[in-house]
Amino acid sequence: MSERLLDTIPLVDNVIANYLFKSDYYHIKNWSFDFNGDRQTSDGYNDCFCIVIVKKGNFLFDMARKSHDMHTGHIVIEKPGFEYRLRPASGECTIFNFTKDFYDELIKNSGLERSFFFSNPDMLSVILNTTPGTDYLHHRILKILQSAGKMEMDNLVLDLVNIIVASITNTSRDDIEHSLRINHLVTVEKAKEYMNENFSRDISIQEISCYSCVSPFHFSRIFKKFTSFSPYQYLLNTRLKHSELLLKNSAMPVADVSFSSGFNSAGHFSTAFKQKYKVNPTQYRRV
């Protein structure tokens, strides 16, 4: 489930693991496996906090004397630092591996020290059912892997983490949200400054959160509480406003407007522009 998994499974021919996306604080990996023909178990070690979403087949594993049988519609959340055993099965999973710094900040800044799962050292994993929301986010993440910018992908992954974490915490959200508003006004001010100065680049949430001196997970929640926009929505609207001014006040070709505004393709720019302004960029210029 982490990068060490392939090192601990002797029958690597039965596993195909492909990294799909690498961020500053998470990796997305597709993991296909088929141990049915061998009828043997395989031991592994998990060294990072991860979320596993089953796409196809079955995912059978034993952990701390408990057996788990997962299939489509299941999500497993796993703490770092434990051994597990895979039983004969075949299937395919999407695995989200997160860095230690992200995990520590997630626990600290989301009040998860008191949650039934994260506060119990004897609970190494928890299995949840997917929802239409988590299914859609998972589908969307996989669909745009090749075309998405860093910010768009970060936003989707953090949305997925937010939904999943919210389903396993019993912490009062009112207390947390009140603290966010009181203590992090400067965080949002710095984030807006950074985005307005760097919107033309493919910036990530990691960059903005570092500049704002908070963790990526914590930053996304803070920013949306203050602005009612996710960081990606805010960045997208900034880019569109910049492009609107260029279309109005310059003779720059539409393709150049697109790239100078931070879009990675003219097609993406045209689609986003039309969704907001109800006409495509060329038509807008003629109005």
Side-chain angles (χ1 to χ4, degrees):
M1 301 167 200
S2 68
E3 289 188 57
R4 293 181 57 185
L5 180 61
L6 296 182
D7 297 331
T8 59
I9 295 179
L11 303 174
V12 293
D13 288 343
N14 295 15
V15 178
I16 300 176
N18 297 316
Y19 281 102
L20 305 176
F21 191 89
K22 293 187 178 184
S23 171
D24 301 296
Y25 55 94
Y26 65 87
H27 292 168
I28 305 174
K29 183 166 62 175
N30 187 74
W31 202 67
S32 301
F33 54 93
D34 186 355
F35 298 114
N36 276 328
D38 300 287
R39 302 295 177 185
Q40 296 180 357
T41 59
S42 300
D43 295 333
Y45 179 80
N46 188 54
D47 62 358
C48 66
F49 173 64
C50 64
I51 295 173
V52 181
I53 302 178
V54 182
K55 294 196 292 185
K56 299 177 182 178
N58 292 92
F59 184 36
L60 310 180
F61 66 101
D62 302 327
M63 191 184 318
R65 299 184 299 278
K66 292 183 66 176
S67 296
H68 303 280
D69 182 350
M70 294 178 57
H71 50 74
T72 183
H74 283 159
I75 299 173
V76 60
I77 305 174
E78 302 178 354
K79 294 176 181 175
F82 65 86
E83 296 180 350
Y84 58 87
R85 173 162 294 175
L86 296 173
R87 288 183 278 123
S90 64
E92 187 174 355
C93 304
T94 303
I95 302 176
F96 298 82
N97 290 336
F98 296 89
T99 64
K100 183 180 185 302
D101 286 344
F102 178 88
Y103 178 63
D104 292 342
E105 290 291 339
L106 175 67
I107 301 300
K108 176 183 176 182
N109 292 319
S110 299
L112 296 177
E113 301 96 332
R114 300 187 296 276
S115 73
F116 77 92
F117 174 61
F118 290 101
S119 65
N120 187 345
D122 296 323
M123 284 191 74
L124 303 180
S125 67
V126 62
I127 294 177
L128 309 173
N129 292 323
T130 62
T131 65
T134 55
D135 279 338
Y136 174 76
L137 287 172
H138 179 215
H139 171 80
R140 180 67 179 166
I141 287 167
L142 298 182
K143 185 174 182 179
I144 66 170
L145 279 168
Q146 301 305 316
S147 61
K150 296 176 183 177
M151 177 74 77
E152 184 176 8
M153 186 61 71
D154 289 350
N155 195 72
L156 288 170
V157 170
L158 289 174
D159 275 353
L160 181 65
V161 173
N162 268 311
I163 292 175
I164 292 171
V165 166
S167 68
I168 59 171
T169 179
N170 50 14
T171 303
S172 169
R173 306 306 299 174
D174 291 338
D175 293 341
I176 296 172
E177 290 169 9
H178 179 66
S179 173
L180 292 181
R181 289 192 175 96
I182 291 177
N183 299 319
H184 290 287
L185 180 60
V186 173
T187 299
V188 176
E189 292 169 349
K190 289 173 72 68
K192 286 184 174 182
E193 176 188 14
Y194 191 87
M195 279 192 270
N196 279 292
E197 290 293 332
N198 295 278
F199 66 83
S200 62
R201 297 193 301 107
D202 185 17
I203 56 178
S204 67
I205 284 181
Q206 177 77 11
E207 288 181 56
I208 304 171
S209 63
C210 284
Y211 184 81
S212 306
C213 303
V214 292
S215 71
F217 181 81
H218 199 39
F219 164 71
S220 293
R221 294 170 52 236
I222 294 166
F223 193 85
K224 191 164 187 177
K225 288 298 176 187
F226 273 93
T227 68
S228 298
F229 289 92
S230 70
Y232 174 67
Q233 290 170 330
Y234 186 91
L235 181 67
L236 178 62
N237 277 279
T238 301
R239 288 170 169 169
L240 288 171
K241 175 53 70 175
H242 179 74
S243 69
E244 178 193 356
L245 295 176
L246 289 179
L247 291 170
K248 281 182 177 179
N249 302 313
S250 79
M252 185 182 293
V254 171
D256 292 345
V257 170
S258 166
F259 293 116
S260 67
S261 300
F263 292 90
N264 56 14
S265 75
H268 183 202
F269 165 58
S270 181
T271 299
F273 193 92
K274 189 170 184 178
Q275 285 177 343
K276 181 174 179 63
Y277 296 100
K278 309 308 178 186
V279 293
N280 65 40
T282 301
Q283 292 169 331
Y284 184 85
R285 176 169 268 169
R286 291 171 182 164
V287 174

